[in-house]
Amino acid sequence: MIFRTAELFSGPGGGAYAAKTSHFVDDKGEEWGFSHAWANEYDPDTVETYKLNILNNPDAKTVYCEDVRKFNLDDDEKLGNIDALIFGFPCNDYSVVGKHKGLEGTYGPLYTYGVHVLKRYQPKVFVAENVGGLTSANQGEAFIKILKAFQDAGYTITPNFYKFEQYGVPQMRHRIIIVGIRNDLAEQGIKFHVPAPTTPNPEDYKTAGEALTVPPIPADAPNNEVTRHNKKTIEMLKYIPEGGNAWSLSIPEELRLNVKGAKLSNIYKRLTFNKPSYTVTGSGGGGTHMYHWKENRALTNRERARLQTFPDDFVFVGGKESVRKQIGMAIPPEGMRHILMAVLKTFAGIEYDSVTPTERLQPEVLFKVSGSEVANLVKH
């Protein structure tokens, strides 16, 4: 079975690339995979990136560049007949970095558009992604409300806190991913299980050094422009050790940043060669672009894309800052692929390595609230 797949908040195609590369043929000769139905994304550069890489067609008419709040989600002729929905609803208001507005923010309520698609078109399965901070927004009430909305749309849900470094991604990227199976199918015995980590032990994690050097990035790779730093920044970087940041005591007084208040740990922070990188983000200005473990410079966008597990021939469209944002906001394809393969195997009736419910849920991290209400939500 090939799942006709729609996407909201598609980004440059991290989820779509994972879907495009998730497929197999079972022992009966039946093919399983995902095919593109339609996608929605509001940023023009990001839409062009998606069309170029996912559909290999810059003129594709099935990727809609429009604010989801103005997008006609009730157009059955264009949007109907889908089997799967993937959506990484915007995380700005749930991130632990920033004001953490949750449901009261501009982006917090956007998950409701995904719920609308689920209710109207009733795909067989959905995969929703957001930051770990979702669990603590609005004192945990936001997460409960969102899970209830997915259930009320007619789905049996399996939320989990995924640590992508445990799934082959060379990056400490932690995300909430919720898989929902339509209730009538769940009642027939189609039950999703969280796939077991492929690299559960820290000594087996793919490292930043390995990701960026094996194989070496080709000299002519796209999106590989090196940032030109001012002289003071270069001098300061010379004193920051591997894994260190702008607050390293080895930096001479005259080169230190004059910053009052909170001192973010990722400012001018170097990677550590033999560990996964810290989280690639799309926000911030100079000082937050991630820094090479040895060379006195920020990472190139291609290096950042490698940490996000995009292949070197995945071309991001737009200026340097636009590309940086696209990469940081994307879902790492390699991490998502493990989840989508588990979805396919679930429907194909093929067993796969998975974690038990007690191993799956991490209350101290995943749920910042308590009570039977939460237990009921995740009892499946």
Side-chain angles (χ1 to χ4, degrees), residues 61 95 115 118 140 210 243 251 262 272 294 319 328 360:
K61 305 300 183 184
S95 175
V115 173
L118 294 177
E210 180 183 359
I251 302 173
T272 299
K294 183 177 180 180
R360 184 185 95 213

Side-chain angles (χ1 to χ4, degrees), residues 65-275:
C65 185
E66 195 168 342
D67 187 323
V68 72
R69 291 165 291 194
K70 300 177 182 178
F71 185 46
N72 181 11
L73 291 172
D74 297 323
D75 190 334
D76 296 12
E77 186 176 345
K78 286 199 305 186
L79 309 182
N81 187 29
I82 58 173
D83 301 303
L85 175 68
I86 298 174
F87 61 114
F89 52 105
C91 61
N92 310 55
D93 292 323
Y94 301 119
S95 175
V96 295
V97 177
K99 296 184 179 180
H100 208 55
K101 296 178 181 179
L103 294 175
E104 279 74 52
T106 301
Y107 302 98
L110 295 184
Y111 77 93
T112 60
Y113 294 89
V115 173
H116 183 90
V117 172
L118 294 177
K119 287 183 175 179
R120 186 169 186 88
Y121 300 113
Q122 288 285 288
K124 295 178 175 66
V125 60
F126 76 82
V127 181
E129 179 256 6
N130 207 275
V131 293
L134 173 63
T135 60
S136 54
N138 304 111
Q139 291 75 52
E141 293 179 6
F143 190 49
I144 293 294
K145 185 173 182 178
I146 290 170
L147 293 182
K148 280 186 172 181
F150 291 151
Q151 287 188 323
D152 291 343
Y155 290 82
T156 299
I157 58 175
T158 305
N160 190 59
F161 184 81
Y162 288 83
K163 296 181 177 180
F164 278 138
E165 65 271 23
Q166 296 182 343
Y167 292 86
V169 177
Q171 178 190 166
M172 306 291 281
R173 194 177 188 92
H174 302 161
R175 291 294 185 265
I176 298 290
I177 294 182
I178 305 160
V179 175
I181 305 291
R182 203 174 64 206
N183 282 341
D184 63 308
L185 299 173
E187 290 167 0
Q188 295 172 24
I190 297 177
K191 183 178 175 61
F192 177 80
H193 300 281
V194 173
T198 57
T199 53
N201 300 316
E203 58 267 27
D204 297 324
Y205 291 166
K206 187 170 184 179
T207 68
E210 180 183 359
L212 301 189
T213 63
V214 184
I217 295 176
D220 60 349
N223 309 118
N224 200 34
E225 303 86 354
V226 176
T227 299
R228 294 182 179 180
H229 300 292
N230 61 51
K231 184 177 180 181
K232 183 177 179 181
T233 296
I234 294 173
E235 286 300 312
M236 179 182 65
L237 287 170
K238 290 179 180 178
Y239 291 95
I240 298 177
E242 179 179 348
N245 59 23
W247 321 119
S248 297
L249 297 178
S250 54
I251 302 173
E253 187 70 32
E254 66 273 14
L255 295 176
R256 294 182 184 179
L257 299 181
N258 184 19
V259 178
K260 296 181 180 180
K263 296 181 178 180
L264 296 176
S265 63
N266 66 340
I267 300 297
Y268 292 104
K269 183 174 176 62
R270 287 191 184 274
L271 300 180
T272 299
F273 181 87
N274 62 357
K275 292 182 179 179

Side-chain angles (χ1 to χ4, degrees), residues 11-73:
Y17 188 78
K20 186 177 181 179
T21 52
S22 296
H23 54 80
F24 62 87
V25 177
D26 65 20
D27 56 9
K28 297 178 182 178
E30 182 173 0
E31 185 178 359
W32 293 84
F34 300 89
S35 66
H36 168 83
W38 56 266
N40 169 258
E41 165 62 40
Y42 82 99
D43 179 69
D45 285 346
T46 306
V47 167
E48 294 307 312
T49 296
Y50 186 105
K51 291 192 294 185
L52 178 64
N53 294 275
I54 304 305
L55 303 179
N56 306 117
N57 180 8
D59 299 318
K61 305 300 183 184
T62 54
V63 186
Y64 303 101
C65 185
E66 195 168 342
D67 187 323
V68 72
R69 291 165 291 194
K70 300 177 182 178
F71 185 46
N72 181 11
L73 291 172

